Amino acid sequence: MRRVAGPDAAFLYGERPEWHFHVSAVVIVEPPAPDRFSIDEVRQVLASRLHLVPQFRWKLLEGPLGLDTPIWVDDPGFDIDNHLHRVALPAPGDERALGDLVGTLVGFKLDRARPLWEMWLIEGLQHGRVALLSKIHHAIIDGESGAELATLLFDLEPDPEPTPDPPPWTPEPPPSDLERLAASATRAALWPLKVGRFATQTAQQAATMLRFARRKDPPAQPFQAPRTSLNGHLTPSRTFASAPVSLQAAKQVKDAFGVKLNDVVLAISATALRGYLLDRDELPDAPLVAQIPVSVRSGDTDHVGTKVAAMFSSLATDVADPVERLHAIHAATRSAKEMREAMSAQHIINLTETTPPALIALAARMWTEAGLDGRTPPIFNLIISNVPGPPFDLYMAGARVEAMFPMGPLLYGSGINFTIVSNATRLDFGLMACPDLVPDAWDIATRIPPALDELTHALDL
């Protein structure tokens, strides 16, 4: 019985019209010739490799009366054509038109009556390129496993050896109602014990946070972020923008200043956000705070779903000099990692293991309907997620992958998300935004390459 547990259950039951918990990516490919990359070829590649990603055939079976977490079962009516779609951009097919279309498509939730993924082939891009938009629910994938999934779905050369025929697939029958009720009753009997353990864990982690808060330079904490126009009440609408930068240049900055690559990514993001807020005369005195997802897989590649923890870091947007800002971010992330590791040592159980799914859904509904996104101090200003990708070119159906722009979800009143993946020689920044809070995400995206240039120019001084 494949039970949905931990953060995966929270992603499912915390989902609201304003909070989409699917992760997305736009992959832009260069077909080797006109009409050499079609929906039929995409279908053929996916169909031949579905056995490598079994969760693509799973659908959700709800828990009895909403009192227990759901389970994944094989979809006996699985049809790959229900998950593949085709659309074309109007001329001239530029980046902004692609961003508008992607934002519209990402703004729709996935159909829970089917396996929780879909792909859109987008034609009509400039220079004969084609885009492939994927939407996959966070309950079956996270950033690191998504990068691993890319290596399964893509090739290392334009003309690989023919793929062997996939093994036959027969859906497993779901467990009976009696089996599920018995399993639910067993878990329900353990709830008091789990609640006690969770209460003890919460007290220990609160004490740890207090200990770090007493430091001379304490790490950022939830609810310490300043309120900006980036934060407020989310709507279901989404928009997308992107920006590539040189991975080699980012690594040169990393090596020259003795910091981590993730610090450079955060500094680039901070500079772009600082410039955006300065031009709007909205830069707060306090630094912006980013929530940074951190993988906790520890070599566990078999787990389906999410294996991440969160840490919070200052973006030092109150520091004017870009190099000083980079060093301030490096110090902030180092302190944040220390606190996260200390709290992870005390982590033994998740909130979702002690709370019925129906209560999680009720809490999410009350939060959004009460407008708490705009009434409480921001938990953080935005999420910035940096995912290592393949250090080499990838291909799909003979077409070279030019860019991979990932997109993470928006939640808790944060109107923009930066998700970054390394792709061969590039760092591809994908920005997902709520247009009601960030009217023009491209105004931020276009500031990303100059932000790296500022740091590289500092190397010559």
Side-chain angles (χ1 to χ4, degrees):
M1 192 179 298
R2 297 181 289 250
R3 190 169 67 92
V4 183
D8 302 337
F11 287 141
L12 287 167
Y13 283 94
E15 198 163 39
R16 298 284 297 149
E18 304 89 344
W19 297 352
H20 314 143
F21 281 109
H22 49 257
V23 292
S24 309
V26 174
V27 175
I28 298 177
V29 302
E30 297 175 331
D35 302 324
R36 275 288 309 275
F37 191 84
S38 67
I39 192 72
D40 292 332
E41 288 172 306
V42 172
R43 181 188 298 107
Q44 181 179 353
V45 169
L46 290 175
S48 67
R49 303 179 186 181
L50 274 174
H51 63 287
L52 301 175
V53 279
Q55 64 266 41
F56 272 31
R57 287 191 176 114
W58 297 351
K59 71 174 184 177
L60 202 64
L61 189 60
E62 300 288 349
L65 304 175
L67 298 177
D68 195 10
T69 53
I71 61 173
W72 297 115
V73 297
D74 288 342
D75 180 7
F78 176 79
D79 184 344
I80 195 171
D81 286 327
N82 290 331
H83 301 266
L84 295 180
H85 313 279
R86 177 186 176 193
V87 66
L89 282 177
D94 59 13
E95 291 179 335
R96 288 181 178 261
L98 176 62
D100 291 342
L101 176 59
V102 167
T104 298
L105 296 175
V106 169
F108 295 104
K109 292 168 61 177
L110 294 165
D111 182 359
R112 294 202 177 187
R114 295 172 176 162
L116 297 178
W117 67 277
E118 64 183 30
M119 291 187 181
W120 293 78
L121 185 73
I122 304 174
E123 301 172 328
L125 275 70
Q126 290 177 327
H127 312 300
R129 298 173 302 162
V130 179
L132 188 66
L133 167 65
S134 62
K135 293 170 56 179
I136 308 174
H137 203 281
H138 223 327
I140 60 173
I141 201 170
D142 60 18
E144 186 169 321
S145 61
E148 294 166 358
L149 176 63
T151 63
L152 293 177
L153 297 181
F154 294 94
D155 300 311
L156 304 182
E157 53 187 330
D159 297 306
E161 293 292 327
T163 303
D165 291 337
W169 178 72
T170 302
E172 295 181 3
S176 67
D177 291 342
L178 183 60
E179 289 175 312
R180 298 190 64 205
L181 284 171
S184 297
T186 300
R187 281 190 290 274
L190 296 175
W191 276 349
L193 175 61
K194 291 180 178 180
V195 169
R197 296 176 68 191
F198 183 76
T200 301
Q201 169 185 297
T202 301
Q204 291 174 336
Q205 293 188 332
T208 299
M209 292 178 67
L210 182 60
R211 175 164 55 87
F212 276 86
R214 290 173 175 167
R215 286 186 170 185
K216 180 180 178 181
D217 295 310
Q221 306 273 12
F223 294 104
Q224 289 184 345
R227 180 162 292 283
T228 71
S229 61
L230 302 172
N231 304 101
H233 181 66
L234 294 173
T235 68
S237 300
R238 296 292 182 267
T239 188
F240 162 74
S242 60
V245 299
S246 166
L247 176 59
Q248 180 183 4
K251 287 183 175 180
Q252 288 176 341
V253 171
K254 169 187 77 75
D255 294 338
F257 293 112
V259 298
K260 302 293 187 181
L261 182 61
N262 193 54
D263 297 328
V264 178
V265 168
L266 293 175
I268 293 170
S269 305
T271 299
L273 291 164
R274 174 183 163 86
Y276 172 79
L277 293 173
L278 271 174
D279 285 354
R280 295 167 60 95
D281 196 27
E282 295 177 359
L283 183 68
D285 293 333
L288 299 185
V289 174
Q291 189 225 68
I292 305 169
V294 179
S295 175
V296 292
R297 284 190 172 269
S298 300
D300 177 12
T301 58
D302 294 330
H303 177 87
V304 171
T306 306
K307 295 269 293 189
V308 296
M311 73 178 193
F312 297 81
S313 176
S314 163
L315 293 181
T317 47
D318 56 331
V319 178
D321 182 81
V323 175
E324 292 180 8
R325 188 180 313 124
L326 173 61
H327 286 301
I329 289 172
H330 175 61
T333 55
R334 185 172 53 194
S335 181
K337 288 175 184 175
E338 290 178 13
M339 185 173 74
R340 183 191 66 80
E341 289 171 0
M343 296 180 67
S344 295
Q346 300 160 346
H347 184 83
I348 54 176
I349 194 168
N350 289 297
L351 175 63
T352 51
E353 299 295 310
T354 65
T355 308
L359 289 184
I360 297 176
L362 177 62
R365 184 168 69 250
M366 291 176 63
W367 179 282
T368 55
E369 291 181 355
L372 295 181
D373 284 344
R375 296 181 180 181
T376 61
I379 301 176
F380 47 81
N381 292 113
L382 76 160
I383 296 173
I384 302 179
S385 179
N386 180 27
V387 181
F392 39 75
D393 283 334
L394 294 176
Y395 300 84
M396 185 175 190
R400 187 181 74 86
V401 172
E402 175 188 291
M404 292 191 293
F405 296 115
M407 291 164 278
L410 305 181
L411 65 157
Y412 300 126
S414 173
I416 191 165
N417 176 301
F418 284 48
T419 306
I420 304 96
V421 65
S422 55
N423 168 30
T425 61
R426 302 161 32 131
L427 284 172
D428 287 340
F429 282 69
L431 277 60
M432 176 58 60
C434 174
D436 296 78
L437 298 176
V438 184
D440 185 5
W442 287 102
D443 190 9
I444 299 176
T446 55
R447 300 171 189 267
I448 289 173
L452 177 56
D453 290 342
E454 279 190 354
L455 291 170
T456 56
H457 291 161
L459 300 179
D460 302 325
L461 299 179

